[in-house]
PDB file of all heavy atoms in Angstrom:
ATOM      1  N   GLU B 297     -65.945 -62.302  42.426  1.00 89.00           N
ATOM      2  CA  GLU B 297     -66.227 -61.337  41.381  1.00 89.00           C
ATOM      3  C   GLU B 297     -64.936 -60.885  40.732  1.00 89.00           C
ATOM      4  O   GLU B 297     -64.106 -60.240  41.353  1.00 89.00           O
ATOM      5  CB  GLU B 297     -67.001 -60.128  41.953  1.00 89.00           C
ATOM      6  CG  GLU B 297     -67.454 -59.116  40.941  1.00 89.00           C
ATOM      7  CD  GLU B 297     -68.715 -59.519  40.185  1.00 89.00           C
ATOM      8  OE1 GLU B 297     -69.443 -60.417  40.626  1.00 89.00           O
ATOM      9  OE2 GLU B 297     -68.970 -58.915  39.131  1.00 89.00           O
ATOM     10  N   GLN B 298     -64.807 -61.208  39.465  1.00 89.00           N
ATOM     11  CA  GLN B 298     -63.621 -60.802  38.691  1.00 89.00           C
ATOM     12  C   GLN B 298     -63.932 -59.493  37.979  1.00 89.00           C
ATOM     13  O   GLN B 298     -65.079 -59.073  37.942  1.00 89.00           O
ATOM     14  CB  GLN B 298     -63.311 -61.858  37.665  1.00 89.00           C
ATOM     15  CG  GLN B 298     -62.593 -63.060  38.244  1.00 89.00           C
ATOM     16  CD  GLN B 298     -62.082 -63.967  37.175  1.00 89.00           C
ATOM     17  OE1 GLN B 298     -62.452 -63.848  36.013  1.00 89.00           O
ATOM     18  NE2 GLN B 298     -61.221 -64.866  37.554  1.00 89.00           N
ATOM     19  N   PRO B 299     -62.915 -58.879  37.328  1.00 89.00           N
ATOM     20  CA  PRO B 299     -63.239 -57.671  36.555  1.00 89.00           C
ATOM     21  C   PRO B 299     -64.311 -57.923  35.503  1.00 89.00           C
ATOM     22  O   PRO B 299     -65.098 -57.036  35.195  1.00 89.00           O
ATOM     23  CB  PRO B 299     -61.894 -57.336  35.864  1.00 89.00           C
ATOM     24  CG  PRO B 299     -60.863 -57.981  36.705  1.00 89.00           C
ATOM     25  CD  PRO B 299     -61.485 -59.151  37.370  1.00 89.00           C
ATOM     26  N   ARG B 300     -64.359 -59.138  34.964  1.00 88.00           N
ATOM     27  CA  ARG B 300     -65.308 -59.427  33.905  1.00 88.00           C
ATOM     28  C   ARG B 300     -66.604 -60.016  34.425  1.00 88.00           C
ATOM     29  O   ARG B 300     -67.518 -60.274  33.652  1.00 88.00           O
ATOM     30  CB  ARG B 300     -64.676 -60.391  32.901  1.00 88.00           C
ATOM     31  CG  ARG B 300     -63.639 -59.723  32.088  1.00 88.00           C
ATOM     32  CD  ARG B 300     -62.739 -60.701  31.373  1.00 88.00           C
ATOM     33  NE  ARG B 300     -61.709 -59.971  30.729  1.00 88.00           N
ATOM     34  CZ  ARG B 300     -60.703 -59.381  31.341  1.00 88.00           C
ATOM     35  NH1 ARG B 300     -60.576 -59.525  32.641  1.00 88.00           N
ATOM     36  NH2 ARG B 300     -59.800 -58.703  30.687  1.00 88.00           N
ATOM     37  N   GLY B 301     -66.670 -60.316  35.696  1.00 88.00           N
ATOM     38  CA  GLY B 301     -67.891 -60.874  36.271  1.00 88.00           C
ATOM     39  C   GLY B 301     -67.594 -62.005  37.196  1.00 88.00           C
ATOM     40  O   GLY B 301     -66.441 -62.226  37.609  1.00 88.00           O
ATOM     41  N   GLU B 302     -68.643 -62.738  37.513  1.00 89.00           N
ATOM     42  CA  GLU B 302     -68.543 -63.783  38.529  1.00 89.00           C
ATOM     43  C   GLU B 302     -67.867 -65.040  37.966  1.00 89.00           C
ATOM     44  O   GLU B 302     -68.207 -65.472  36.872  1.00 89.00           O
ATOM     45  CB  GLU B 302     -69.963 -64.069  39.032  1.00 89.00           C
ATOM     46  CG  GLU B 302     -70.169 -65.398  39.634  1.00 89.00           C
ATOM     47  CD  GLU B 302     -71.566 -65.923  39.282  1.00 89.00           C
ATOM     48  OE1 GLU B 302     -71.779 -66.320  38.140  1.00 89.00           O
ATOM     49  OE2 GLU B 302     -72.412 -65.937  40.181  1.00 89.00           O
ATOM     50  N   VAL B 303     -66.938 -65.590  38.720  1.00 90.00           N
ATOM     51  CA  VAL B 303     -66.297 -66.844  38.310  1.00 90.00           C
ATOM     52  C   VAL B 303     -66.709 -67.900  39.331  1.00 90.00           C
ATOM     53  O   VAL B 303     -66.895 -67.617  40.495  1.00 90.00           O
ATOM     54  CB  VAL B 303     -64.757 -66.702  38.246  1.00 90.00           C
ATOM     55  CG1 VAL B 303     -64.152 -66.386  39.593  1.00 90.00           C
ATOM     56  CG2 VAL B 303     -64.111 -67.948  37.685  1.00 90.00           C
ATOM     57  N   LEU B 304     -66.965 -69.127  38.838  1.00 90.00           N
ATOM     58  CA  LEU B 304     -67.335 -70.223  39.720  1.00 90.00           C
ATOM     59  C   LEU B 304     -66.311 -71.320  39.653  1.00 90.00           C
ATOM     60  O   LEU B 304     -65.912 -71.735  38.556  1.00 90.00           O
ATOM     61  CB  LEU B 304     -68.726 -70.722  39.351  1.00 90.00           C
ATOM     62  CG  LEU B 304     -69.232 -71.917  40.184  1.00 90.00           C
ATOM     63  CD1 LEU B 304     -70.660 -71.680  40.589  1.00 90.00           C
ATOM     64  CD2 LEU B 304     -69.135 -73.221  39.443  1.00 90.00           C
ATOM     65  N   TYR B 305     -65.861 -71.772  40.803  1.00 91.00           N
ATOM     66  CA  TYR B 305     -64.984 -72.929  40.871  1.00 91.00           C
ATOM     67  C   TYR B 305     -65.754 -74.046  41.562  1.00 91.00           C
ATOM     68  O   TYR B 305     -66.308 -73.849  42.649  1.00 91.00           O
ATOM     69  CB  TYR B 305     -63.739 -72.637  41.698  1.00 91.00           C
ATOM     70  CG  TYR B 305     -62.589 -72.054  40.925  1.00 91.00           C
ATOM     71  CD1 TYR B 305     -62.771 -70.896  40.179  1.00 91.00           C
ATOM     72  CD2 TYR B 305     -61.328 -72.654  40.936  1.00 91.00           C
ATOM     73  CE1 TYR B 305     -61.734 -70.351  39.449  1.00 91.00           C
ATOM     74  CE2 TYR B 305     -60.288 -72.117  40.218  1.00 91.00           C
ATOM     75  CZ  TYR B 305     -60.487 -70.971  39.476  1.00 91.00           C
ATOM     76  OH  TYR B 305     -59.457 -70.449  38.772  1.00 91.00           O
ATOM     77  N   TYR B 306     -65.803 -75.199  40.937  1.00 91.00           N
ATOM     78  CA  TYR B 306     -66.339 -76.380  41.601  1.00 91.00           C
ATOM     79  C   TYR B 306     -65.141 -77.282  41.895  1.00 91.00           C
ATOM     80  O   TYR B 306     -64.398 -77.658  40.977  1.00 91.00           O
ATOM     81  CB  TYR B 306     -67.358 -77.077  40.708  1.00 91.00           C
ATOM     82  CG  TYR B 306     -67.679 -78.483  41.150  1.00 91.00           C
ATOM     83  CD1 TYR B 306     -68.537 -78.699  42.205  1.00 91.00           C
ATOM     84  CD2 TYR B 306     -67.086 -79.586  40.560  1.00 91.00           C
ATOM     85  CE1 TYR B 306     -68.817 -79.989  42.644  1.00 91.00           C
ATOM     86  CE2 TYR B 306     -67.366 -80.874  40.990  1.00 91.00           C
ATOM     87  CZ  TYR B 306     -68.218 -81.067  42.029  1.00 91.00           C
ATOM     88  OH  TYR B 306     -68.468 -82.336  42.457  1.00 91.00           O
TER      89      TYR B 306
END
Side-chain angles (χ1 to χ4, degrees):
Chain B
E297 184 79 17
Q298 282 191 346
R300 289 164 185 73
E302 156 216 73
V303 63
L304 178 134
Y305 272 55
Y306 165 79

